[in-house]
Amino acid sequence: TVAFRVPWGHPASLLLVVAALTVAAAGLGVCVVAFLKTQRQAGPVIGGVLTVSGMLGGLFTTGVQMPAAFQTLNLAFPQGWALRGLDLVLDGAGPAGVLVPVLVLLGAGAALFSVGAAAFQKRFA
């Protein structure tokens, strides 16, 4: 903010979205790693999952006007909701304005973590 004079919006909104994004990222990481069989698979699989989900989540096309169907499709991925939340923050939304993306990210993180934890439990039981 100081160096580049970027107006990041309401600090509480930004904190909520970043915290929810962190939960979703951790859940996705646990879920993906739970299904790996060897350490050698980690790099290619995690890289592939993040690349594909990032592309479908809209992270690679933020500067391009995409069709409405793609803008709906990207909400099937946590990255799409994170992008939506950060867009709202940059547009000046308060904490109540980012509540939907935050709740979706928290729910996705919890669901993905639960799936990963269940897979780990089954694997190491």
Side-chain angles (χ1 to χ4, degrees):
T1 298
V2 175
F4 298 107
R5 299 175 197 233
V6 175
W8 283 104
H10 197 281
S13 300
L14 182 61
L15 181 65
L16 282 171
V17 172
V18 169
L21 173 57
T22 303
V23 169
L28 180 62
V30 168
C31 186
V32 171
V33 169
F35 292 100
L36 298 177
K37 301 292 183 208
T38 67
Q39 288 181 340
R40 294 186 71 199
Q41 292 176 334
V45 171
I46 291 171
V49 167
L50 291 179
T51 300
V52 170
S53 62
M55 291 169 114
L56 294 174
L59 299 181
F60 290 67
T61 57
T62 57
V64 180
Q65 184 64 21
M66 297 299 289
F70 183 76
Q71 293 175 0
T72 302
L73 171 69
N74 70 17
L75 295 179
F77 298 90
Q79 293 93 330
W81 283 102
L83 191 58
R84 171 85 44 103
L86 290 172
D87 281 344
L88 289 170
V89 169
L90 291 173
D91 286 341
V98 297
L99 194 56
V100 172
V102 166
L103 290 175
V104 171
L105 286 168
L106 290 174
L112 290 165
F113 182 85
S114 296
V115 169
F120 272 127
Q121 199 169 45
K122 181 179 176 184
R123 183 173 166 186
F124 294 113

